Amino acid sequence: MSDRRIQRWSMGCSALALTFAGVLAAGAASAQTAPSAGQSPENTVEEVVVTGFRESLRSALSVKRQSSGVVDAIKAEDIADFPDANLAESIQRVPGVSITRVAGEGRTITVRGLPPTFTRVRINGMEAQSTSGATTSDRGANLGRGFDFNTFASELFSGITVRKTAQAEVIEGSLGATVDLETAKPLDHKGLTFVLGASAGYNDLAKNVDPKFTAVVGNSWDTRWGEFGAQASLAYSKRKFLEDQWGSGGWNPATIDGGFCTPVGVTPQNPATNAGNGTDAANCATGVARPPTGDPVYAQANRSTVFFPRLPRYGRFHHNQERTGATLALQWKPTSRTSLSFDALYSDYDVKREENWLEGFSFARPITQNGKPQTAVRELVLRDAGTSHTAGINFGQTVYDVDYARFDGVDIRSDTQHDEFENVFQQYTLAGTHELTDRLKVTGLIGYSKSDYDQPMTTTIMFQRQNAGMTIDFRNNRDQPIIKHDFDVTNAGLYSFGAPNAEVRLQQIYTTNIYKTGEVNLAWAYDDDLTLKVGGHYDEFSFDTSAKQRSNNFLVPTLSTAELQAVTKVVSGFGGHGIDEGVFPSSWATIDYDKFVASQNLYSETGMYALVPNYGGIRRVDEKVASAYFQADLKTVIGGLPVRGDIGFRFAQTELQSRGYQIGPLPQQVTAENKYHDVLPSFNVAVDATDNLVLRFSGAKVVARPDLGFLTPGGSLNLNGTPSITSGNPDLEPIRATTADLGAEWYFAPGALLGFGVFYKDIETYVQNQSQQMTFRQTGLPLSLLGDSRLDPDQTYFTVTRPVNTPGGPLKGFEINYQQNFTFLPGLLRHTGALINYTYVDSQIDYFLAAGGVTTNDLVGLSKNAYNATLFYEDDKFSARISAAYRDKSIVALPANNPYQDLEGYDENLTFDLAASYQINENFKLSLEGLNIFDRFNRQFIDSDRDSTFVYTHTGRQWNLGLQYKF
């Protein structure tokens, strides 16, 4: 354990120890003033607290009904008993919310089709940022504004509120929603509270048992100085599991990277004669004969319209996660008019992950790395994939995916990637409320939050067997091709480790997000029907990231066969449990990470393993936002109908400072500033059309600030050939939209709802990368970057690729929400109920393509169709529920990162979860939770026409059996 982590643990444990000591001491003081046994109990009132899933639904429904805007809420079933094991899994039950899972857990949310960067998250009233890492196929570390929910234990929270419409008194920055996470308050529970829970987790793919613990202690007292409460909680879990995956590494046209080896007699000869590689007029490479003269397979294969997987491979991932969280809450009400509270939240999400792949490497490399031109296609069957609608040379032509192929001259690589990352989050808030008079109230909050994401180790070690035979067959299953090799892939003695056929990649990333917040609000109740509110809010936000890497990944030691065998091991047991039998070797040779690190002194940062700054990853953004608002909360009667609502506006001024490095002949730091302001009117109206029918209408102007990766001025500068610049753009305007919502909610029975809502967002601006021609002076970059190139800054035009504000487009959709307890049914069925919701979203955004031209498509991250359904049973002892969550296809990248293809995306997905509990007696409860109980695979695809499989992966079913004690 690092010194830094030991220090964090020490601080966290000290705070927790002080909390327990305070609780016990206060409890002792309370006992001294408690009534004696002989005193009359006639003034004692026994409080009965109703808990359970049904009660949490009722409480959440009450919040929704009483709000003036469109609000959905989720409440804890009891202390340290949130409805789901993961916060994102709970939020996805809200209409219009879909989640993205990483390593089997919900990571981010999409609200009404708008991706995570457009959703603001507050914890205990203060905006916060949480960051975690992921595999390359899951887009790696989060260096944007999106919030990663998987870093927190759900037991730390007591409620979630999702605000889908804007209010003047709620901070700006969201196009999708403002999500409020709330930790428990000690004065919500009278007297001493003690909860202790433990569970064992089992994953049917990994076949191992993992621990999970929770503890809560709290108390509240009436003293001569007022009412006081204290509560602390601790949650710890450890999870070791596996992930099995087919990955294509993307798909490339055959002609990319130099194309395949030409038959005998074809001119120009590819690859050119090279004695060192064994290449001549008759051979592609050593031991690989060229296809014969007139071979028809080469002509069939080597076309821009024929696509092959870049890195056809299967892999096994070993995940090891530890999640530790703690809260401390103090509340003091010295008088009935005054309340003060202090909340502290700590979370440590620590992950170690190792990926072991066996892949065909030649398809993704040019001849300079002994790549594709040394590979001969011996047999080929193509699948007609339709007509390409992607701008470029394939537009309007029939395109094909390989369906079956046999190759010679393929470099087979064993690829091991080892990642270690840790996110430590801490937040402290002090909030207060004071009633100056019966009608005048002031509230305030100051807070600090910090998210440290450290990824000190991203290590990739690759070795290979050159010029092997390989067969790949998609004919039975496009998501699980059959891959065969012509050698024993478990025998490390058949591979080699040395330049240029081996690599060692080392990378480091360190990111810190800090929020400093202060606000004050004044509310004046003019009468029972009109309350006027004013307030001010100030935020300082900083995003600071740095990175290091090796300067040359191909600088590696040359290992003998014996030395290579000494630092390798065999991956075993791959396949089954959803991976078809026989599609791939169940075992193969791979690097033994610990042995290789020890033998090479890999992290010495000296010699061949020295690290240099990765200037493209060194950047900082500082934002200062000052805002003020006015809001009037109204109640009246119009046409005999009760009407309530709010109307107001918010003014926000944003000051931005950013810095990054322009990488040219020499890296040079560039700084930039920007300032803009917004006036954001909003209103929400709710009409009680009948005792059970609520009609709603909302409208607002909203704003979301550009993602952090767009805002730094750093990038790359090319002064040779055609001058070009790739950079960020700190002058970006925010993404602005005008929104409208219309809805009806029918509360037709106790705990029941049938709701329908339509929404419309006119997104006025969007942000995309675009290439433009401009002079160097027009870029705003320092002239010193031109050095001694003698280029005229006013006459020489550069091709500048950077994010720019582009026209947006409309986003529209509707939601249907149904919830009911089936108390009208006979027998045991009266204890059942259901929650069902469906959301449809449509958008039209113009995207500028890398090959030129414009295409219109859905917003990135949007799923047109999504639904959630939960069926539950609950009586006095037993509770059970099963939930289904579905989301349609969604785009994850447009344009795609591979040539001649339009986009990348996630396939549709339907996941089932289960939860059950049994109340053994007043103190003990047994619980069972199941995540992804049908082991649904996640699939990513590339190209909307061909729909080629990018990733096909699963982590198995996850079960947790727990026991909770409550006093």
Side-chain angles (χ1 to χ4, degrees), residues 206-289:
K207 298 186 183 304
N208 61 274
V209 177
D210 298 317
K212 184 177 182 179
F213 303 100
T214 57
V216 179
V217 61
N219 211 340
S220 61
W221 309 270
D222 287 324
T223 72
R224 71 183 67 179
W225 299 286
E227 194 175 1
F228 181 77
Q231 182 169 302
S233 66
L234 178 68
Y236 171 82
S237 65
K238 187 173 184 178
R239 186 172 174 231
K240 297 178 70 175
F241 62 100
L242 301 177
E243 181 175 357
D244 284 350
Q245 181 177 123
W246 147 255
S248 65
W251 290 65
N252 271 352
T255 50
I256 294 296
D257 292 319
F260 290 107
C261 179
T262 56
V264 174
V266 171
T267 56
Q269 174 186 300
N270 184 37
T273 297
N274 184 321
N277 292 336
T279 303
D280 55 31
N283 297 282
C284 307
T286 301
V288 183

Side-chain angles (χ1 to χ4, degrees), residues 719-731:
L719 300 178
N720 300 315
T722 302
S724 63
I725 298 171
T726 300
S727 72
N729 185 0
D731 293 327

Side-chain angles (χ1 to χ4, degrees), residues 245-252 307-314 383 401-402 472 474 477-481 898 901 903-905 907 937-943 945-953:
Q245 181 177 123
W246 147 255
S248 65
W251 290 65
N252 271 352
F307 288 80
F308 292 82
R310 290 181 63 251
L311 297 169
R313 58 186 183 174
Y314 280 94
R383 183 183 66 85
D401 273 1
V402 61
I472 182 167
F474 290 91
N477 189 335
R478 293 186 61 211
D479 297 324
Q480 297 185 49
N898 292 55
Q901 297 164 97
L903 55 82
E904 300 169 21
D907 210 353
F937 279 63
N938 284 319
R939 180 181 184 268
Q940 297 181 38
F941 66 92
I942 184 169
D943 196 76
D945 296 315
R946 298 183 359 264
D947 188 36
S948 305
T949 305
F950 200 157
V951 171
Y952 189 70
T953 183

